[in-house]
Amino acid sequence: MDNSTYKTTPLPEVIERVRKDSRFDSVLSEPGILNLDILTQRQHLDVVREHWNAWQVVDPIRQFEECCDLAVLIALSNGVMERSFDFYNAHILTVAHALPVLWTYLPPKHLATVLRQYVHFVILTYVSQLRPDFGIEVLEEVTLDGRGWDWVINTALNSKWALDVHFFKVVRAPKVFEETFGRKEDIYLKAAIKYVNEFRGWEGYGSGIEGFVPSRDGWMPE
């Protein structure tokens, strides 16, 4: 059932409306995957789907590019050195990177359906992680200082986090986006530089979830 109260094609507009929706304000107290149990209760899921149903897919390929750009911002523009990066918001980025693999096996008529399901996942995840602020301005401030993708890759390979597969998925995704969509004033590269410079482990698991354990999941002592 379409319960939307507005219609739009730009996904950033939908996510901005989600970010400002006061109906989510008192629902969750901390980030974490267990929040999905709360958000899938009928009264909250109706709000999620109100925004999801508002998004209209008219050009799946172009709108997929928009999804990828938005994923970079959500996953990488709000990480800070003191707190590092949100594990579940990072999956908004890595799942976007994986979508073209699915699309190669699906008839074109299913592209829009898969993209819409991805955006449903994006909204649920973003709300679960308490709707953090994000913006391109943070990434635009990153200076290249002669650093390119070779620097990013070599830095990642020599990082103490080099055994964590999730760490490398987040390095790989923006590189592929640049190869696919163009340099766009190096915003993908700047996002990757910020990430490998500031990554200090994952956050955002919430209470009751063990999460990433460095000694078990890929941390190499310096």
Side-chain angles (χ1 to χ4, degrees), residues 19-217:
R19 189 181 70 82
K20 293 180 177 179
D21 195 329
S22 61
R23 290 173 291 181
F24 292 122
D25 288 352
S26 60
V27 175
L28 307 171
S29 59
E30 65 175 344
I33 196 65
L34 295 180
N35 287 336
L36 292 178
D37 291 338
I38 298 172
L39 291 177
T40 51
Q41 295 173 8
R42 178 61 183 272
Q43 68 271 32
H44 306 310
L45 190 59
D46 283 347
V47 181
V48 168
R49 288 182 171 170
E50 178 183 322
H51 292 289
W52 177 59
N53 284 319
W55 190 56
Q56 296 181 303
V57 180
V58 296
D59 185 343
I61 302 302
R62 179 187 60 79
Q63 288 176 271
F64 171 64
E65 179 179 350
E66 185 178 71
C67 287
C68 293
D69 289 350
L70 184 64
V72 169
L73 297 184
I74 292 175
L76 300 181
S77 74
N78 53 29
V80 295
M81 195 170 293
E82 293 78 11
R83 295 200 316 269
S84 207
F85 293 83
D86 187 287
F87 182 75
Y88 297 112
N89 280 336
H91 282 72
I92 293 176
L93 175 66
T94 57
V95 172
H97 173 225
L99 279 184
V101 178
L102 289 177
W103 280 2
T104 61
Y105 294 98
L106 295 173
K109 66 180 181 180
H110 295 311
L111 299 188
T113 299
V114 173
L115 193 59
R116 280 187 50 78
Q117 292 306 310
Y118 166 72
V119 168
H120 195 249
F121 158 76
V122 169
I123 296 172
L124 282 170
T125 303
Y126 181 64
V127 176
S128 290
Q129 301 310 106
L130 305 187
R131 301 173 292 161
D133 291 337
F134 60 88
I136 196 171
E137 299 81 11
V138 175
L139 300 183
E140 288 174 334
E141 292 173 357
V142 175
T143 57
L144 298 183
D145 295 328
R147 296 172 294 186
W149 285 109
D150 286 344
W151 180 91
V152 171
I153 293 169
N154 289 331
T155 301
L157 287 172
N158 290 285
S159 168
K160 69 179 183 180
W161 308 102
L163 298 180
D164 174 20
V165 65
H166 301 289
F167 173 74
F168 273 105
K169 287 192 297 183
V170 175
V171 175
R172 177 66 176 165
K175 184 176 186 298
V176 172
F177 293 164
E178 181 178 296
E179 292 168 355
T180 305
F181 305 123
R183 291 178 60 176
K184 297 187 177 180
E185 299 184 346
D186 292 314
I187 203 66
Y188 301 122
L189 175 58
K190 289 181 177 182
I193 289 173
K194 172 180 169 60
Y195 173 70
V196 297
N197 262 340
E198 300 182 5
F199 187 81
R200 298 294 183 272
W202 297 111
E203 66 167 9
Y205 292 104
S207 300
I209 301 295
E210 185 178 25
F212 181 85
V213 179
S215 61
R216 182 195 68 197
D217 298 327

